[in-house]
Amino acid sequence: MFVGLAAAVLATFLGTFFGALAGYCGRATDDFFNWFYSVFTSIPYLLLILAIAGVLNQKGTMTVVLILGLTGWTGIFRQVRAELT
């Protein structure tokens, strides 16, 4: 329960922050975050999770929370950005 809740909070924070920044600032900032989103979503989800796990090279609950939080922000980013554009 802790892993799911903590990962959702992290993903929500990242998605909201990135989306608000992209939607509010516009122009170059928006272009950069849209490029980052496109690159991030073009990588298969499972491969991305395994790559992040390999880079972190640690085991434990916080690693799982970090991986899920870092890969789950994209949907929230698109929603928040669309609301502020």
Side-chain angles (χ1 to χ4, degrees):
M1 189 115 155
F2 169 75
V3 170
L5 186 61
V9 167
L10 179 61
T12 302
F13 173 76
L14 290 175
T16 303
F17 179 72
F18 292 161
L21 197 62
Y24 182 74
C25 293
R27 296 189 179 142
T29 306
D30 186 34
D31 290 341
F32 170 75
F33 278 110
N34 277 327
W35 171 81
F36 188 63
Y37 167 81
S38 297
V39 169
F40 207 78
T41 56
S42 68
I43 302 169
Y45 189 67
L46 185 59
L47 183 61
L48 184 62
I49 289 174
L50 292 174
I52 293 173
V55 168
L56 292 177
N57 199 20
Q58 293 189 10
K59 298 177 182 175
T61 305
M62 290 310 293
T63 304
V64 174
V65 168
L66 189 62
I67 290 170
L68 293 176
L70 289 176
T71 57
W73 60 270
T74 55
I76 298 165
F77 163 78
R78 296 297 286 181
Q79 290 176 349
V80 171
R81 182 189 163 273
E83 288 293 326
L84 292 175
T85 303

